Amino acid sequence: MTKQEWKNKTVVTKFILLGFGNGPELDSLLFLMFLSIYIVTITGNIFIIVLMVANRHLHTPMYFFLGNLACLEICYSSNILPRMLISYLGRDRSISVSGRFTQYYFFGCLAAAECYLLAVMSYDRYLAVCKPLHYPSHMNGKLCLQLGAASWIGGFLANSVLTFLISNLDFCGPNEISHFFCDSLPMIKLSCSDSHVAGLVTSVVAGLCSLPPFLLTFSSYLYIIITVMRIPSATGRKKAFSTCSSHLIVVILFYWSIVTVYVLPHHDAQVSPNKVFSVFYTILTPLVNPLIYSLRNKEVKEALQKQTNKLLALRELLSVKKRR
């Protein structure tokens, strides 16, 4: 676009998130559904964090990383769902330019951080299963803090350059984003300036944030499976694999949904498969993480039972004091 043509265009100051369509009859249903998901997600992940902090038996590297993952999922959901709820409640789907870039920045940072954190957790499981004798010395408190911090910092640094490039693009109409949150590809598509560099950097950053962590995760579980299969007894194999089965389920759900979104072609329909599958890694994965780790983990169940017994004992003690 030439300079004169750009001057004749109106610079966009607000954008419209189309979400899953413009049917008013569905707004109430979608609002109640996403509100319930948000409440359960926040409650479940806070429950995981509190349980990790309160129970000394869970002060291990595995649960340290799980607590980080729960904290990340709270931030992840809070970045997307409240804006969706406001749009369905008031039917105002507009979002300011600054609000759009803020949401995208934190979405990209948290998504990258989750990739790194899942890879770190898979490495932790690799050491625990394949090198159990060296595990306490290798995965010490200092290394846990360093790996956790690197996951968060790496995620936030990775998306900073990309957000800067996209924020410097020109937007002069149309202003409707065919998505329920601000993702990079729909935003680049709306730009009226040359977005070739931004699109190229998007691909590079996405590859750096997802491919190396995925390869590390895949390699870790390949070695884990080989090690577990060499255990002679079926009971031993089951016990060894149970220590990482919950994390493996989370990894499969997360990467399956991301790969599905970026492999499927774009559609012109209001609710495209890309948009539907985006729900899995942005909304449903943070929801099921605490359920998977709490329902499938024996140590978490035991810790929950101990905390419940303590609360019941405290309640009984208070009732006895009241009677006196």
Side-chain angles (χ1 to χ4, degrees), residues 229-247:
M229 294 306 295
R230 288 175 178 172
I231 298 176
S233 66
T235 305
R237 289 195 296 268
K238 183 179 178 181
K239 183 178 179 181
F241 195 71
S242 65
T243 62
C244 53
S245 59
S246 298
H247 178 253

Side-chain angles (χ1 to χ4, degrees), residues 223-270:
Y223 280 107
I224 288 172
I225 292 172
I226 292 173
T227 302
V228 170
M229 294 306 295
R230 288 175 178 172
I231 298 176
S233 66
T235 305
R237 289 195 296 268
K238 183 179 178 181
K239 183 178 179 181
F241 195 71
S242 65
T243 62
C244 53
S245 59
S246 298
H247 178 253
L248 182 59
I249 292 173
V250 172
V251 168
I252 291 173
L253 285 173
F254 182 74
Y255 279 106
W256 168 77
S257 57
I258 285 182
V259 168
T260 303
V261 167
Y262 289 101
V263 166
L264 287 174
H266 296 285
H267 294 262
D268 294 328
Q270 275 190 320

Side-chain angles (χ1 to χ4, degrees), residues 110-160:
L110 294 169
E114 182 158 4
C115 289
Y116 295 142
L117 191 57
L118 289 175
V120 168
M121 293 175 73
S122 68
Y123 176 67
D124 171 73
R125 292 300 83 206
Y126 159 75
L127 289 179
V129 175
C130 301
K131 299 181 181 293
L133 298 179
H134 300 285
Y135 180 74
S137 59
H138 280 47
M139 193 58 70
N140 51 51
K142 183 179 179 180
L143 181 60
C144 288
L145 289 173
Q146 290 174 342
L147 291 175
S151 299
W152 285 90
I153 295 172
F156 275 80
L157 289 178
N159 201 46
S160 298

Side-chain angles (χ1 to χ4, degrees), residues 95-309:
I95 185 171
S96 65
V97 174
S98 59
R100 183 188 64 156
F101 288 123
T102 300
Q103 186 185 61
Y104 168 68
Y105 174 70
F106 283 104
F107 160 73
C109 293
L110 294 169
E114 182 158 4
C115 289
Y116 295 142
L117 191 57
L118 289 175
V120 168
M121 293 175 73
S122 68
Y123 176 67
D124 171 73
R125 292 300 83 206
Y126 159 75
L127 289 179
V129 175
C130 301
K131 299 181 181 293
L133 298 179
H134 300 285
Y135 180 74
S137 59
H138 280 47
M139 193 58 70
N140 51 51
K142 183 179 179 180
L143 181 60
C144 288
L145 289 173
Q146 290 174 342
L147 291 175
S151 299
W152 285 90
I153 295 172
F156 275 80
L157 289 178
N159 201 46
S160 298
V161 175
L162 184 54
T163 304
F164 175 77
L165 287 175
I166 296 177
S167 64
N168 280 279
L169 294 176
D170 298 320
F171 297 90
C172 35
N175 67 336
E176 293 183 341
I177 302 176
S178 181
H179 219 306
F180 59 88
F181 71 98
C182 300
D183 201 358
S184 58
L185 294 179
M187 288 194 295
I188 291 174
K189 190 177 179 181
L190 291 178
S191 174
C192 55
S193 58
D194 184 9
S195 58
H196 176 72
V197 175
L200 182 61
V201 174
T202 299
S203 300
V204 172
V205 171
L208 290 175
C209 292
S210 59
L211 188 57
F214 173 76
L215 292 176
L216 176 60
T217 303
F218 178 79
S219 302
S220 297
Y221 275 102
L222 183 62
Y223 280 107
I224 288 172
I225 292 172
I226 292 173
T227 302
V228 170
M229 294 306 295
R230 288 175 178 172
I231 298 176
S233 66
T235 305
R237 289 195 296 268
K238 183 179 178 181
K239 183 178 179 181
F241 195 71
S242 65
T243 62
C244 53
S245 59
S246 298
H247 178 253
L248 182 59
I249 292 173
V250 172
V251 168
I252 291 173
L253 285 173
F254 182 74
Y255 279 106
W256 168 77
S257 57
I258 285 182
V259 168
T260 303
V261 167
Y262 289 101
V263 166
L264 287 174
H266 296 285
H267 294 262
D268 294 328
Q270 275 190 320
V271 183
S272 68
N274 282 17
K275 197 184 301 183
V276 173
F277 281 107
S278 294
V279 174
F280 282 89
Y281 70 89
T282 58
I283 297 175
L284 295 184
T285 300
L287 171 68
V288 300
N289 277 359
L291 298 177
I292 291 174
Y293 279 108
S294 58
L295 295 178
R296 292 183 55 84
N297 196 302
K298 183 180 178 181
E299 291 178 323
V300 172
K301 290 180 182 178
E302 291 177 352
L304 177 60
Q305 185 62 45
K306 289 180 181 179
Q307 293 301 318
T308 303
N309 293 337

